[in-house]
Amino acid sequence: MNVASAIVAFASVLNVGDIVRSCFAISEEVMGDLYQAVKQPGAYFLSNAMEEQDASEIRYATIEDGIERIKDKILTLSWDDAELLVAGFFRAIGYKTTMTSKGNDRGRDIIASHDGLGLESPRIFAEVKHRKGQMGAPQVRSFIGSLRPNDSGLYVSTGGFSKEARYEAERATVPVCLLDLDQFVRLLIENYESTDMKTKALLPLVRVYLPA
């Protein structure tokens, strides 16, 4: 709130006279303008609206700061814990998960399905890359090539994706979703209350309440 609007709000709820004169060094002309502003219907409500806008901006800044802190926390996880976190996200949205054996997993770290065996459709194969560098078109193309016609794919990369990699996903003949760290965190937050204790232990979060 700027000085002028602060004065209007102050004058609209208190007795204006000498109080305003003693607090602010202003001319008689400006004083007259203040009296007119106070007399106008909605002057106080205008100042309230400005305060609400400021509060909204503060809430947005607080939320974005929280997201950045969560992203930093995820970056400290080991690569296998990052895979378990993605598996926990799948369970939060109603899937059962199977972790593939390490080594030659053919780009399939997690198998998510409703039966828990990967025998029924829909089934989703997920690849998790927990590293700084972006994934390029060759990595995404290889992942897409491992999918069968009735499969869907989720590729999570904490280092993000190149524009060419996203183009490969867009033109794939099977459903493929690419999630960078920011996108994954926002989805995880939306479903965090539904995550199990194992997932919450990997990434403990606390709900913060702000004034409405």
Side-chain angles (χ1 to χ4, degrees), residues 162-183:
S162 68
K163 181 166 55 173
E164 293 76 16
R166 293 193 178 277
Y167 174 70
E168 289 292 333
E170 291 174 0
R171 71 189 190 97
T173 57
V174 294
V176 175
C177 178
L178 305 184
L179 293 180
D180 59 25
L181 181 58
D182 187 80
Q183 293 168 320

mmCIF file of all heavy atoms in Angstrom, residues 162-183:
data_model
loop_
_atom_site.group_PDB
_atom_site.id
_atom_site.type_symbol
_atom_site.label_atom_id
_atom_site.label_comp_id
_atom_site.label_asym_id
_atom_site.label_seq_id
_atom_site.Cartn_x
_atom_site.Cartn_y
_atom_site.Cartn_z
ATOM 1 N N SER A 162 14.995 -31.349 -22.995
ATOM 2 C CA SER A 162 15.249 -30.418 -24.095
ATOM 3 C C SER A 162 13.973 -30.251 -24.916
ATOM 4 O O SER A 162 13.028 -31.036 -24.797
ATOM 5 C CB SER A 162 16.371 -30.943 -24.991
ATOM 6 O OG SER A 162 15.944 -32.118 -25.677
ATOM 7 N N LYS A 163 13.934 -29.211 -25.750
ATOM 8 C CA LYS A 163 12.778 -28.984 -26.607
ATOM 9 C C LYS A 163 12.593 -30.141 -27.578
ATOM 10 O O LYS A 163 11.468 -30.557 -27.868
ATOM 11 C CB LYS A 163 12.953 -27.671 -27.363
ATOM 12 C CG LYS A 163 11.781 -27.333 -28.268
ATOM 13 C CD LYS A 163 11.797 -25.889 -28.739
ATOM 14 C CE LYS A 163 13.065 -25.497 -29.420
ATOM 15 N NZ LYS A 163 13.006 -24.134 -30.014
ATOM 16 N N GLU A 164 13.690 -30.691 -28.054
ATOM 17 C CA GLU A 164 13.619 -31.818 -28.983
ATOM 18 C C GLU A 164 13.038 -33.058 -28.303
ATOM 19 O O GLU A 164 12.290 -33.821 -28.918
ATOM 20 C CB GLU A 164 15.002 -32.135 -29.548
ATOM 21 C CG GLU A 164 15.596 -31.054 -30.454
ATOM 22 C CD GLU A 164 16.119 -29.849 -29.683
ATOM 23 O OE1 GLU A 164 16.306 -29.973 -28.458
ATOM 24 O OE2 GLU A 164 16.333 -28.793 -30.313
ATOM 25 N N ALA A 165 13.378 -33.238 -27.003
ATOM 26 C CA ALA A 165 12.843 -34.382 -26.257
ATOM 27 C C ALA A 165 11.329 -34.261 -26.118
ATOM 28 O O ALA A 165 10.593 -35.255 -26.268
ATOM 29 C CB ALA A 165 13.506 -34.467 -24.889
ATOM 30 N N ARG A 166 10.845 -33.076 -25.835
ATOM 31 C CA ARG A 166 9.403 -32.872 -25.704
ATOM 32 C C ARG A 166 8.706 -33.075 -27.039
ATOM 33 O O ARG A 166 7.574 -33.574 -27.087
ATOM 34 C CB ARG A 166 9.115 -31.478 -25.137
ATOM 35 C CG ARG A 166 9.583 -31.324 -23.686
ATOM 36 C CD ARG A 166 9.021 -30.082 -23.028
ATOM 37 N NE ARG A 166 9.440 -29.973 -21.638
ATOM 38 C CZ ARG A 166 8.851 -30.593 -20.621
ATOM 39 N NH1 ARG A 166 7.798 -31.370 -20.862
ATOM 40 N NH2 ARG A 166 9.283 -30.441 -19.381
ATOM 41 N N TYR A 167 9.375 -32.726 -28.107
ATOM 42 C CA TYR A 167 8.793 -32.965 -29.438
ATOM 43 C C TYR A 167 8.647 -34.463 -29.693
ATOM 44 O O TYR A 167 7.646 -34.908 -30.273
ATOM 45 C CB TYR A 167 9.669 -32.317 -30.507
ATOM 46 C CG TYR A 167 9.232 -32.640 -31.920
ATOM 47 C CD1 TYR A 167 8.056 -32.109 -32.444
ATOM 48 C CD2 TYR A 167 9.987 -33.497 -32.728
ATOM 49 C CE1 TYR A 167 7.644 -32.415 -33.731
ATOM 50 C CE2 TYR A 167 9.584 -33.806 -34.017
ATOM 51 C CZ TYR A 167 8.410 -33.265 -34.513
ATOM 52 O OH TYR A 167 8.003 -33.578 -35.779
ATOM 53 N N GLU A 168 9.628 -35.256 -29.266
ATOM 54 C CA GLU A 168 9.546 -36.704 -29.431
ATOM 55 C C GLU A 168 8.329 -37.267 -28.695
ATOM 56 O O GLU A 168 7.637 -38.154 -29.194
ATOM 57 C CB GLU A 168 10.820 -37.374 -28.906
ATOM 58 C CG GLU A 168 12.057 -37.146 -29.757
ATOM 59 C CD GLU A 168 11.972 -37.845 -31.105
ATOM 60 O OE1 GLU A 168 11.262 -38.875 -31.210
ATOM 61 O OE2 GLU A 168 12.625 -37.359 -32.048
ATOM 62 N N ALA A 169 8.064 -36.746 -27.505
ATOM 63 C CA ALA A 169 6.911 -37.216 -26.736
ATOM 64 C C ALA A 169 5.596 -36.810 -27.397
ATOM 65 O O ALA A 169 4.630 -37.576 -27.406
ATOM 66 C CB ALA A 169 6.982 -36.677 -25.314
ATOM 67 N N GLU A 170 5.567 -35.617 -27.952
ATOM 68 C CA GLU A 170 4.341 -35.130 -28.589
ATOM 69 C C GLU A 170 3.960 -35.948 -29.817
ATOM 70 O O GLU A 170 2.776 -36.151 -30.087
ATOM 71 C CB GLU A 170 4.510 -33.661 -28.978
ATOM 72 C CG GLU A 170 4.573 -32.710 -27.786
ATOM 73 C CD GLU A 170 4.893 -31.293 -28.204
ATOM 74 O OE1 GLU A 170 5.063 -31.066 -29.440
ATOM 75 O OE2 GLU A 170 4.993 -30.416 -27.324
ATOM 76 N N ARG A 171 4.954 -36.436 -30.541
ATOM 77 C CA ARG A 171 4.646 -37.166 -31.773
ATOM 78 C C ARG A 171 4.634 -38.679 -31.584
ATOM 79 O O ARG A 171 4.508 -39.428 -32.552
ATOM 80 C CB ARG A 171 5.646 -36.783 -32.877
ATOM 81 C CG ARG A 171 7.056 -37.308 -32.685
ATOM 82 C CD ARG A 171 8.008 -36.710 -33.704
ATOM 83 N NE ARG A 171 9.300 -37.363 -33.705
ATOM 84 C CZ ARG A 171 9.646 -38.336 -34.566
ATOM 85 N NH1 ARG A 171 8.797 -38.749 -35.478
ATOM 86 N NH2 ARG A 171 10.852 -38.875 -34.519
ATOM 87 N N ALA A 172 4.729 -39.129 -30.330
ATOM 88 C CA ALA A 172 4.707 -40.567 -30.056
ATOM 89 C C ALA A 172 3.332 -41.146 -30.380
ATOM 90 O O ALA A 172 2.305 -40.484 -30.252
ATOM 91 C CB ALA A 172 5.049 -40.832 -28.594
ATOM 92 N N THR A 173 3.303 -42.401 -30.773
ATOM 93 C CA THR A 173 2.044 -43.070 -31.119
ATOM 94 C C THR A 173 1.372 -43.693 -29.893
ATOM 95 O O THR A 173 0.272 -44.219 -29.999
ATOM 96 C CB THR A 173 2.303 -44.165 -32.174
ATOM 97 O OG1 THR A 173 3.281 -45.089 -31.672
ATOM 98 C CG2 THR A 173 2.810 -43.546 -33.473
ATOM 99 N N VAL A 174 2.038 -43.668 -28.756
ATOM 100 C CA VAL A 174 1.449 -44.122 -27.496
ATOM 101 C C VAL A 174 1.457 -42.934 -26.524
ATOM 102 O O VAL A 174 2.265 -42.017 -26.672
ATOM 103 C CB VAL A 174 2.240 -45.312 -26.890
ATOM 104 C CG1 VAL A 174 2.125 -46.534 -27.782
ATOM 105 C CG2 VAL A 174 3.705 -44.942 -26.669
ATOM 106 N N PRO A 175 0.558 -42.939 -25.532
ATOM 107 C CA PRO A 175 0.526 -41.809 -24.585
ATOM 108 C C PRO A 175 1.809 -41.741 -23.757
ATOM 109 O O PRO A 175 2.176 -42.697 -23.082
ATOM 110 C CB PRO A 175 -0.687 -42.133 -23.698
ATOM 111 C CG PRO A 175 -1.517 -43.088 -24.489
ATOM 112 C CD PRO A 175 -0.545 -43.894 -25.293
ATOM 113 N N VAL A 176 2.478 -40.606 -23.804
ATOM 114 C CA VAL A 176 3.715 -40.403 -23.057
ATOM 115 C C VAL A 176 3.655 -39.033 -22.392
ATOM 116 O O VAL A 176 3.346 -38.025 -23.028
ATOM 117 C CB VAL A 176 4.957 -40.484 -23.965
ATOM 118 C CG1 VAL A 176 6.217 -40.139 -23.178
ATOM 119 C CG2 VAL A 176 5.079 -41.869 -24.578
ATOM 120 N N CYS A 177 3.959 -39.011 -21.112
ATOM 121 C CA CYS A 177 3.975 -37.761 -20.353
ATOM 122 C C CYS A 177 5.378 -37.516 -19.828
ATOM 123 O O CYS A 177 5.985 -38.400 -19.216
ATOM 124 C CB CYS A 177 2.979 -37.833 -19.199
ATOM 125 S SG CYS A 177 2.953 -36.361 -18.143
ATOM 126 N N LEU A 178 5.901 -36.314 -20.059
ATOM 127 C CA LEU A 178 7.202 -35.913 -19.536
ATOM 128 C C LEU A 178 6.987 -34.933 -18.387
ATOM 129 O O LEU A 178 6.274 -33.941 -18.534
ATOM 130 C CB LEU A 178 8.052 -35.251 -20.623
ATOM 131 C CG LEU A 178 8.285 -36.021 -21.922
ATOM 132 C CD1 LEU A 178 9.237 -35.226 -22.824
ATOM 133 C CD2 LEU A 178 8.832 -37.405 -21.660
ATOM 134 N N LEU A 179 7.611 -35.211 -17.248
ATOM 135 C CA LEU A 179 7.511 -34.316 -16.095
ATOM 136 C C LEU A 179 8.899 -33.882 -15.655
ATOM 137 O O LEU A 179 9.744 -34.724 -15.339
ATOM 138 C CB LEU A 179 6.815 -35.012 -14.922
ATOM 139 C CG LEU A 179 5.336 -35.375 -15.060
ATOM 140 C CD1 LEU A 179 4.850 -36.063 -13.790
ATOM 141 C CD2 LEU A 179 4.497 -34.146 -15.353
ATOM 142 N N ASP A 180 9.116 -32.572 -15.628
ATOM 143 C CA ASP A 180 10.348 -32.075 -15.025
ATOM 144 C C ASP A 180 10.128 -31.951 -13.518
ATOM 145 O O ASP A 180 9.038 -32.269 -13.007
ATOM 146 C CB ASP A 180 10.800 -30.761 -15.660
ATOM 147 C CG ASP A 180 9.768 -29.650 -15.549
ATOM 148 O OD1 ASP A 180 8.927 -29.698 -14.617
ATOM 149 O OD2 ASP A 180 9.779 -28.723 -16.377
ATOM 150 N N LEU A 181 11.117 -31.493 -12.787
ATOM 151 C CA LEU A 181 11.026 -31.461 -11.329
ATOM 152 C C LEU A 181 9.899 -30.557 -10.848
ATOM 153 O O LEU A 181 9.144 -30.918 -9.934
ATOM 154 C CB LEU A 181 12.362 -31.011 -10.732
ATOM 155 C CG LEU A 181 12.441 -30.959 -9.203
ATOM 156 C CD1 LEU A 181 12.121 -32.314 -8.594
ATOM 157 C CD2 LEU A 181 13.830 -30.480 -8.766
ATOM 158 N N ASP A 182 9.767 -29.386 -11.445
ATOM 159 C CA ASP A 182 8.737 -28.449 -11.019
ATOM 160 C C ASP A 182 7.345 -29.039 -11.234
ATOM 161 O O ASP A 182 6.476 -28.946 -10.352
ATOM 162 C CB ASP A 182 8.877 -27.136 -11.789
ATOM 163 C CG ASP A 182 7.928 -26.065 -11.274
ATOM 164 O OD1 ASP A 182 8.237 -25.447 -10.244
ATOM 165 O OD2 ASP A 182 6.871 -25.851 -11.904
ATOM 166 N N GLN A 183 7.109 -29.642 -12.385
ATOM 167 C CA GLN A 183 5.809 -30.227 -12.676
ATOM 168 C C GLN A 183 5.503 -31.387 -11.733
ATOM 169 O O GLN A 183 4.378 -31.524 -11.237
ATOM 170 C CB GLN A 183 5.774 -30.705 -14.133
ATOM 171 C CG GLN A 183 5.826 -29.580 -15.152
ATOM 172 C CD GLN A 183 6.084 -30.094 -16.562
ATOM 173 O OE1 GLN A 183 6.880 -31.005 -16.772
ATOM 174 N NE2 GLN A 183 5.415 -29.511 -17.529
#
